[in-house]
Amino acid sequence: MLDLEYITTEVRRIALEAGAFLQSERSTFNLNKVEKKHAHDYVSYVDKESEKRIVAQLRALLPEAGFIAEEGSGSLSTEEYCWLVDPLDGTTNFIHNNAPFCVSIALRNREELLVGVVYEVCRNELYWTHKGAPSYLNGQVIHVSPVSDLFESFIALGFPYDFDSYKPIADHLVHTLYGNVGGLRLQGAAAVELCYVAAGRFEARIEAFLGPWDIAAGALILMNAGGRLSDFEGNPDCYSGHQVLATNGKIHSELLSILQNK
């Protein structure tokens, strides 16, 4: 049986080291080394090197585990345990020297998420949890917001790179929510924005066409802080990232109704 507390402590260390690497590279970042994966979707040598370092350390920590990582380390895993790694979530922010960007690392077995760690580099904020534990921010237990009035809710939206498919949903959300909620924000780093919902900074975060590495760690952190996640139909199995509605739980049904009546 895995010692999840020990593993979480080690993953926290690995995430902090990766974050220090990102911070160091940002100070001398070379825009000429940016590659385009798809339209407006970028990757840099920093993403790739960060992933290489993280994967090496995680493999040493738990040799029997597989990997699903954004920049290609591993694929759909058949092992009992699997790491889900985003070595730099918020690459476009990083490239433009804009906050936030983060490291996201999760561990799951075939049935459920076990460990979640997210390190937001710009604010030096480390979020973590494991199965059966509270969620923490820099050592302090965090909880979702108590706000239950949609009109007072602060909501983060994500606009994915698959704009042709998502634009009708984005248009509907902006049209319906703008002026009818406490505020809307686009921040560009799904992993840490789920943690912001967990910490009560937002009441919700909505996006689609993400990868499992984008949401796994933040999803567990949010759930263990009292939040709720589903797809746009309300199904709780949203860990593929195809559709993700993440909330404090209190405005979830209202947002589902909005998403289903576009």
Side-chain angles (χ1 to χ4, degrees):
M1 188 172 181
L2 297 182
D3 184 341
L4 294 181
E5 186 170 356
Y6 169 75
I7 289 174
T8 304
T9 299
E10 288 299 295
V11 175
R12 287 161 53 193
R13 175 186 58 79
I14 292 167
L16 287 169
E17 289 182 10
F21 169 72
L22 297 182
Q23 192 170 44
S24 173
E25 290 299 313
R26 180 51 259 176
S27 65
T28 58
F29 186 69
N30 185 349
L31 278 171
N32 294 324
K33 294 186 177 180
V34 173
E35 303 171 29
K36 184 179 287 189
K37 293 194 285 188
H38 308 288
H40 307 127
D41 185 5
Y42 304 100
V43 65
S44 74
Y45 64 95
V46 180
D47 303 66
K48 295 177 179 180
E49 179 62 25
S50 177
E51 181 167 300
K52 180 180 175 183
R53 294 177 180 217
I54 292 169
V55 166
Q57 293 186 78
L58 293 177
R59 187 168 281 133
L61 176 62
L62 196 64
E64 65 267 36
F67 286 89
I68 301 174
E70 181 172 19
E71 305 311 331
S73 297
S75 58
L76 289 177
S77 176
T78 58
E79 290 86 354
E80 181 177 358
Y81 300 105
C82 180
W83 296 105
L84 297 101
V85 178
D86 195 335
L88 172 50
D89 187 44
T91 298
T92 302
N93 285 351
F94 177 88
I95 289 168
H96 293 90
N97 199 18
N98 187 56
F101 53 86
C102 67
V103 177
S104 177
I105 304 171
L107 177 68
R108 69 169 302 153
N109 61 20
R110 294 190 182 103
E111 289 79 40
E112 60 186 341
L113 293 165
L114 301 174
V115 172
V117 175
V118 174
Y119 179 50
E120 202 285 282
V121 179
C122 305
R123 297 177 68 162
N124 189 30
E125 292 188 338
L126 184 65
Y127 298 83
W128 75 86
T129 193
H130 60 79
K131 180 185 175 182
S135 293
Y136 295 90
L137 164 55
N138 291 347
Q140 300 295 314
V141 175
I142 56 175
H143 301 283
V144 294
S145 156
V147 172
S148 58
D149 184 348
L150 191 62
F151 189 73
E152 300 297 332
S153 296
F154 197 36
I155 296 177
L157 300 179
F159 286 177
Y161 298 118
D162 190 351
F163 51 85
D164 285 335
S165 298
Y166 196 70
K167 194 174 188 300
I169 301 172
D171 288 345
H172 172 67
L173 287 171
V174 172
H175 176 77
T176 306
L177 297 177
Y178 181 49
N180 295 309
V181 297
L184 295 172
R185 293 294 183 273
L186 285 169
Q187 300 211 331
V192 77
E193 290 174 68
L194 293 181
C195 296
Y196 290 168
V197 179
R201 294 178 184 169
F202 288 112
E203 277 65 60
R205 209 273 182 182
I206 310 168
E207 192 172 359
F209 308 122
L210 296 163
W213 49 80
D214 289 308
I215 67 161
L220 185 59
I221 291 165
L222 174 58
M223 288 189 295
N224 285 4
R228 181 180 171 190
L229 289 97
S230 76
D231 65 14
F232 294 171
E233 300 299 320
N235 302 306
D237 187 12
C238 60
Y239 300 116
S240 70
H242 181 67
Q243 295 176 340
V244 182
L245 170 61
T247 76
N248 64 355
K250 298 167 181 65
I251 60 169
H252 204 93
S253 296
E254 284 184 88
L255 290 174
L256 278 176
S257 179
I258 289 168
L259 284 162
Q260 293 167 12
N261 288 283
K262 56 185 181 293

